[in-house]
Amino acid sequence: MFEKRNQRNRKDLKTFNQNNDNAKQNEDLINFLEHKLEEIEKKLQKCLFVTLIVDIWHSNQLADFIGICASLVDADFTKKLIVIGLKRMPGKHDAKNIKLMIETIVN
């Protein structure tokens, strides 16, 4: 599952790099993000328990956001927190829309 998602993320990052003028800065950003994705994948593979934390809020400008974090517990019972994603939350905060946003972020 992680490998398929990482391949998709790397493709998106390379497309971003091709569509921008700051190639060196973009390449550095791509390398940084790829490294972070690998770190997250390693942490997820070593953990015993994963709990997803979902929060919805609005800013002072009345823009709604949804954020998802993963709380991990490894074999040493060390807790780690990883931010999975953050997106604007359009529409109502009903179960159907929340489910759709969670799936969009996680997948």
Side-chain angles (χ1 to χ4, degrees):
M1 176 177 128
F2 299 119
E3 187 58 34
K4 183 177 179 183
R5 182 174 183 178
N6 286 347
Q7 287 173 353
R8 187 174 67 236
N9 288 339
R10 285 184 180 99
K11 182 180 175 189
D12 290 344
L13 289 171
K14 287 179 181 170
T15 300
F16 171 80
N17 191 34
Q18 291 169 355
N19 294 333
N20 287 283
D21 295 330
N22 302 326
K24 173 65 174 127
Q25 291 175 342
N26 293 340
E27 191 63 35
D28 290 345
L29 176 62
I30 289 169
N31 291 334
F32 172 78
L33 293 174
E34 284 180 342
H35 177 72
K36 287 297 178 185
L37 285 172
E38 290 169 4
E39 283 182 9
I40 291 170
E41 185 175 338
K42 287 177 186 175
K43 287 179 184 177
L44 287 171
Q45 289 173 347
K46 292 180 182 178
C47 70
L48 298 175
F49 306 100
V50 178
T51 302
L52 290 181
I53 303 165
V54 179
D55 193 15
I56 301 170
W57 70 95
H58 67 271
S59 68
N60 291 338
Q61 293 79 22
L62 301 178
D64 295 332
F65 294 90
I66 182 170
I68 301 178
C69 294
S71 177
L72 312 176
V73 177
D74 64 17
D76 298 326
F77 292 97
T78 304
K79 182 180 174 184
K80 295 179 176 78
L81 190 66
I82 298 174
V83 176
I84 302 295
L86 174 69
K87 286 195 170 271
R88 290 281 305 259
M89 176 83 185
K92 295 181 181 181
H93 296 184
D94 59 9
K96 182 178 179 181
N97 201 26
I98 293 170
K99 177 183 179 283
L100 178 65
M101 290 304 298
I102 291 171
E103 289 173 345
T104 300
I105 294 170
V106 173
N107 293 327

